[in-house]
Amino acid sequence: MTNRPFKTGESRHQPSLLPPRIEDYVEPDNPVRAIESYVCALDLAKLGFRHAERSAEAMGQPPYDPADLLKLYLYGYINQVRSSRRLEREACRNLELIWLLRNLRPGYRTIAHFRKENWAALKAVNRGFVLLVRELGLVGGSLVAIDGSFFHGDASKASIFTRKRLAEQIARLDLEIEAYGRSVEDNDAAEANEPRKDRADGPGSGSGGDGGDIGARVSALMAKRLRAEADLARLEASGETQMSLTDSDARLLVKNGQGIAGYNVQSVVDDKHMLIVASEVVNDSSDVGQLHAMAKAAKDALEAEALQALADEGYYSSLELKACEDDGITAYVPVPEGRRQLEKKGRFSLKDFSYDPAADAYRCPTGELLRPTEGRWKNASGRVEVRYLGRKVTCAACPLRAKCLAPKASYRSIARWEHEDVLERHRARMESQEAARLMQRRSAIVEHPFGTLKCRAGYQHFLVRGFDKVRGEWSLMALCYNFTRVLNILGLKRFIACMAASLLLLECAPTVALRGILRILGLSRPCSLQLANESAPAS
Ligand code: SF4
């Protein structure tokens, strides 16, 4: 029992609060030590960091070591401190950062320039971490899920123009200029009708006193109109559909009626530990056209022979499905509802017709054959198709014609893509129980990183502008997500030991280092590790 009313702190007059050694500022099991071990294991010169190759003989004031600034950013992004000014403050007062940076205190400009100048190196670090987790056997390497998520850019919606918005702005300005023009005429007329004595004080007095103001306002509106016209001309010359005045690469992105000004971040997540294995930042609202590029990037990163890729129906594209199949990627993408219009209307759809490859003909529900016409057609999306037609006489007499033909059609026509067999295999795959099971897992896999980054860490927007820098910042976010996850999976001791073994990999024989990693992880042989000398006993 104490006789104090409240808990009391330390006296401000005691000579020392902190331990004398900076090393003792953080506990041996503090996760900040993982950042130290990881950055020390990197070859920053090879990764392309500025100043990484600077020699001791170089003239002038020495810059900050890129390793220290990378540690600062890793610590900051892991702990939801992103802005350069906040990082500057934390480096002065945060004991973990004082330990990590050995009391170095870079200014906010230095911190901000590091992120802007080293965007390509940050991407390389992120890629390197994926290779590391692959070598550590922390990815399954056979099943991935792909998804996109919008992030706000450093631009407002008002700073992005489309042709329609510019045309509307010009029309609005025309109306305002016209209205001001009318009011000037009305003023002139009123002044002309006033008795001479009322205007003894000269122009600008009485009812016409705001004539000068109106003139200035009209001039301002005219200048605004000229700018809008110049913007419209520039937009038309560029061939783009949008133009951003603040961040030239940010775009108005719209999904499910919600619009933002920013970027669409594509991410591929491995199913074993929900680690991001590939990602990209694009500025298109639509995910169509991203399936193959993202799945191929993941397949290359994982060095997988074959890969199953799950995506939502926004990724459905026949050309993308074919590209995936050609590259050994089995894609599971639901067929969009929009392609089932005939089924919804109760009419026969393509799946009610069976294709006979031997006869090169479709067989309809009544058993009649639809034969191919001569020649090929290119449809609006660039697919080369062959048309198969029913016979007019047969269709006219068919008892099922109401369910089969459009109201004004006299025979049934089916367009078959030259690679329709790819879609047939995909349709059959999507009807299997395996597809239903995998699609249930899709969102749980791919939404884990976005949920963690956007909801837990609060990263909903980028702090930098332009594709290069935004991609660099996204690399930091993805790296910190993967880093935290791997640290949680391995634990601090095994993580630090793995980094030490990675350092060996850089500096000495790879086989020795890989065996070291195997032993640390307590694994006999992670899936992707191939030891050069299998017969030699592990040392
Ligand atoms: S309308 Fe023609 S194509 Fe359709 S089911 Fe009848 S016969 Fe077959």
Side-chain angles (χ1 to χ4, degrees):
M1 287 288 289
T2 61
N3 56 358
R4 291 174 297 156
F6 304 111
K7 291 182 187 299
T8 51
E10 302 290 347
S11 163
R12 290 194 177 114
H13 298 289
Q14 77 171 32
S16 166
L17 175 68
L18 298 171
R21 287 197 319 160
I22 293 179
E23 173 58 21
D24 298 329
Y25 282 16
V26 299
E27 299 294 319
D29 59 350
N30 190 313
V32 74
R33 292 180 185 274
I35 298 174
E36 171 74 15
S37 67
Y38 170 62
V39 176
C40 288
L42 295 176
D43 183 343
L44 297 187
K46 204 168 159 189
L47 290 165
F49 280 93
R50 193 158 174 251
H51 298 312
E53 283 183 303
R54 196 171 193 273
S55 70
E57 289 80 42
M59 301 292 284
Q61 186 71 241
Y64 283 95
D65 186 338
D68 287 325
L69 293 170
L70 181 59
K71 286 175 201 170
L72 174 61
Y73 266 112
L74 270 180
Y75 181 88
Y77 273 72
I78 288 171
N79 292 285
Q80 292 90 54
V81 183
R82 290 197 294 162
S83 88
S84 50
R85 286 176 192 266
R86 281 195 63 204
L87 285 168
E88 181 193 35
R89 278 200 300 276
E90 290 299 314
C92 300
R93 67 187 180 190
N94 181 321
L95 289 186
E96 289 175 342
L97 269 179
I98 290 172
W99 176 88
L100 191 60
L101 302 184
R102 303 173 318 286
N103 205 26
L104 285 171
R105 297 174 177 199
Y108 72 90
R109 282 204 181 86
T110 305
I111 297 170
H113 283 153
F114 177 83
R115 184 169 48 194
K116 285 177 187 167
E117 286 169 352
N118 291 293
W119 60 268
L122 291 172
K123 280 178 75 174
V125 176
N126 186 32
R127 261 197 314 271
F129 197 78
V130 173
L131 301 187
L132 180 68
V133 297
R134 187 191 76 202
E135 294 307 311
L136 294 176
L138 297 178
V139 288
S142 59
L143 178 65
V144 296
I146 304 169
D147 204 1
S149 183
F150 291 172
F151 281 65
H152 294 271
D154 188 22
S156 67
K157 282 196 227 174
S159 70
I160 300 178
F161 292 99
T162 60
R163 278 176 217 187
K164 191 176 162 214
R165 274 183 74 183
L166 282 169
E168 283 171 358
Q169 189 187 3
I170 291 170
R172 211 170 38 246
L173 287 168
D174 282 343
L175 285 177
E176 282 184 55
I177 292 165
E178 208 182 303
Y180 274 119
R182 270 202 307 274
S183 74
V184 169
E185 283 169 16
D186 291 347
N187 278 346
D188 289 348
E191 278 184 12
N193 293 333
E194 279 174 10
R196 183 172 289 272
K197 64 179 170 60
D198 292 346
R199 291 185 276 133
D201 295 337
S205 66
S207 61
D210 58 352
D213 290 348
I214 290 176
R217 268 180 258 159
V218 170
S219 302
L221 286 172
M222 292 291 281
K224 212 169 168 186
R225 191 187 187 285
L226 279 175
R227 278 200 300 276
E229 270 188 331
D231 287 342
L232 184 59
R234 255 193 304 150
L235 184 59
E236 276 170 1
S238 70
E240 296 278 339
T241 54
Q242 296 182 23
M243 186 175 68
S244 175
L245 299 180
T246 317
D247 175 351
S248 59
D249 291 322
R251 291 288 178 271
L252 281 174
L253 308 177
V254 182
K255 198 182 263 180
N256 302 328
Q258 300 277 328
I260 67 152
Y263 294 88
N264 182 358
V265 176
Q266 297 286 316
S267 140
V268 190
V269 183
D270 182 83
D271 77 316
K272 187 173 178 183
H273 287 300
M274 320 312 185
L275 291 167
I276 300 171
V277 292
S279 55
E280 185 54 286
V281 181
V282 297
N283 63 1
D284 195 341
S285 293
S286 170
D287 294 327
V288 175
Q290 301 296 335
L291 180 69
H292 173 249
M294 296 314 303
K296 181 73 170 51
K299 187 167 177 272
D300 292 345
L302 295 168
E303 288 190 350
E305 286 289 312
L307 188 69
Q308 287 182 313
L310 316 177
D312 63 30
E313 66 176 42
Y315 285 83
Y316 187 91
S317 153
S318 49
L319 296 173
E320 293 290 309
L321 288 171
K322 170 151 191 331
C324 283
E325 194 175 287
D326 291 347
D327 275 322
I329 297 160
T330 309
Y332 289 84
V333 188
V335 180
E337 285 292 317
R339 293 178 188 248
R340 297 190 191 141
Q341 290 300 324
L342 288 178
E343 281 173 55
K344 283 185 190 162
K345 288 178 188 166
R347 285 177 50 200
F348 294 142
S349 66
L350 189 57
K351 71 176 189 183
D352 298 306
F353 293 75
S354 58
Y355 181 68
D356 181 347
D360 185 23
Y362 275 98
R363 194 170 291 280
C364 77
T366 58
E368 296 295 332
L369 289 178
L370 280 72
R371 301 278 184 191
T373 57
E374 288 201 357
R376 301 270 189 277
W377 279 265
K378 218 177 216 180
N379 76 0
S381 57
R383 299 191 332 174
V384 176
E385 294 177 341
V386 179
R387 284 187 194 149
Y388 291 76
L389 308 180
R391 291 174 62 223
K392 265 189 190 177
V393 194
T394 321
C395 289
C398 175
L400 299 177
R401 56 173 295 151
K403 276 195 82 178
C404 188
L405 304 184
K408 290 182 183 171
S410 51
Y411 55 88
R412 180 69 190 241
S413 157
I414 291 176
R416 183 181 171 84
W417 181 35
E418 59 180 338
H419 302 296
E420 191 74 26
D421 52 320
V422 173
L423 299 186
E424 285 167 351
R425 282 190 287 278
H426 177 256
R427 274 195 293 271
R429 194 158 62 236
M430 290 309 294
E431 280 165 15
S432 67
Q433 284 193 340
E434 173 70 355
R437 186 185 69 79
L438 289 173
M439 294 318 291
Q440 272 186 344
R441 290 195 58 201
R442 186 200 68 82
S443 55
I445 299 170
V446 79
E447 282 166 20
H448 190 282
F450 283 138
T452 307
L453 286 169
K454 293 183 100 170
C455 298
R456 191 183 68 77
Y459 295 166
Q460 309 226 3
H461 67 285
F462 291 112
L463 300 177
V464 289
R465 295 173 184 172
F467 261 137
D468 290 343
K469 291 173 204 156
V470 164
R471 283 171 176 152
E473 193 186 6
W474 166 251
S475 297
L476 268 173
M477 291 185 199
L479 173 64
C480 289
Y481 167 82
N482 280 347
F483 187 91
T484 308
R485 230 171 138 63
V486 170
L487 188 56
N488 290 338
I489 294 162
L490 294 180
L492 182 65
K493 274 188 187 161
R494 288 209 300 171
F495 185 95
I496 291 177
C498 284
M499 293 310 120
S502 300
L503 204 55
L504 270 179
L505 191 65
L506 276 177
E507 293 172 355
C508 67
T511 309
V512 175
L514 294 180
R515 286 215 178 89
I517 294 175
L518 290 177
R519 206 172 49 242
I520 292 155
L521 292 174
L523 300 172
S524 57
R525 180 180 172 169
C527 57
S528 57
L529 289 180
Q530 297 293 327
L531 294 185
N533 186 0
E534 290 285 337
S535 56
S539 53

